[in-house]
Amino acid sequence: MHEDNGLQDEFAGISRRTAMLGALAAGAVATSINPSFAAEAAIGDPGAQGIPADPAARAAIVRRMRYRTDAGTFMWWFRGRTYAQQGATLIPVCGLLFGSMIKLSPRADGGFDMVQYELGFRTDLETGKRLDKLRNPITGEMLEIKAFPVGPTKLAYAADNVPVVPATIGGSMFTYEHKPELFWTAGDMLFMQYQARSKVETAGKPDRIINDVGMIYGKLADALNPRVKSAPAWIQGTDVTDYARWLKMPEGSGTQTLRSIGAKVHRYADMPADWRAAVAEIDPKMAADPMGVFNRNEETYRG
């Protein structure tokens, strides 16, 4: 469902992040979707009892769980830890507290348009407080952290929920590769795995690969019910990427891994209190008028 501070490095999207979180779909350089990745047929998932095989029905489930089927706004929040990964060794770097605000408009062709605004914060591993400085646990260098938003980013999705991506997002070029969702059921719960890979190309900076794999889950009855426009849903996410540029890691020194949990909500007041407090601290205008962010000029992507 992820620059000077690396906050944007966590989105997928969609996520990213992606988000995440996965919800944000990155733009393509030459073609919108890598054919070798997107052409894979959806797997007939053993263990997905009660999930229809019809592609349109599955697309409706994805939209109900991850997005919404009608016009309106919704939000995803994510909370987790970023690790420096050297071989099989995971070294905690910092916490992540991330929020994604989304406005969705269905189209007559069965697809939909989205506007998305994301803002994340690095946090102390012990206290959870927002950081403005961080000591790199590998190099020992003290790094300055600034909170830069991503967006508002305008995205268009086809009827199968695959993005029709723009050439660039915030001045950076992306190649976005989407894999079909996988479904499992357990008792009264539905689990839906998403996977995406993005290549980020920013002028004057090294290319980055961002792998976003996550599990969105919720009540099976909600996911299958056409009267439910936006099903309550939760997420467990994993990003495996090249190091964020802001960490200033030596080339070839490893990769970066994020493990996170989160949820979809429909009111700003239901976003985590500590995330809202951090927003109020750095962007009082957003705190006073959260929906106003959809009308802002797009920020430059710094990932």
Side-chain angles (χ1 to χ4, degrees), residues 258-288:
L258 169 73
R259 290 287 291 139
S260 63
I261 57 93
K264 180 174 66 172
V265 299
H266 298 91
R267 301 187 310 162
Y268 187 79
D270 292 331
M271 294 291 278
D274 50 352
W275 182 82
R276 287 185 284 113
V279 170
E281 183 178 4
I282 71 158
D283 192 346
K285 290 184 178 180
M286 177 178 171

Side-chain angles (χ1 to χ4, degrees), residues 153-200:
T153 306
K154 295 180 180 179
L155 300 163
Y157 287 74
D160 60 1
N161 303 314
V162 175
V164 181
V165 293
T168 62
I169 293 179
S172 289
M173 295 189 297
F174 295 75
T175 301
Y176 175 75
E177 302 171 337
H178 170 84
K179 278 197 171 182
E181 288 79 6
L182 300 177
F183 298 85
W184 292 275
T185 56
D188 63 351
M189 298 294 290
L190 169 69
F191 297 84
M192 182 181 76
Q193 179 179 293
Y194 65 87
Q195 182 175 352
R197 177 183 184 272
S198 299
K199 180 180 181 181
V200 184

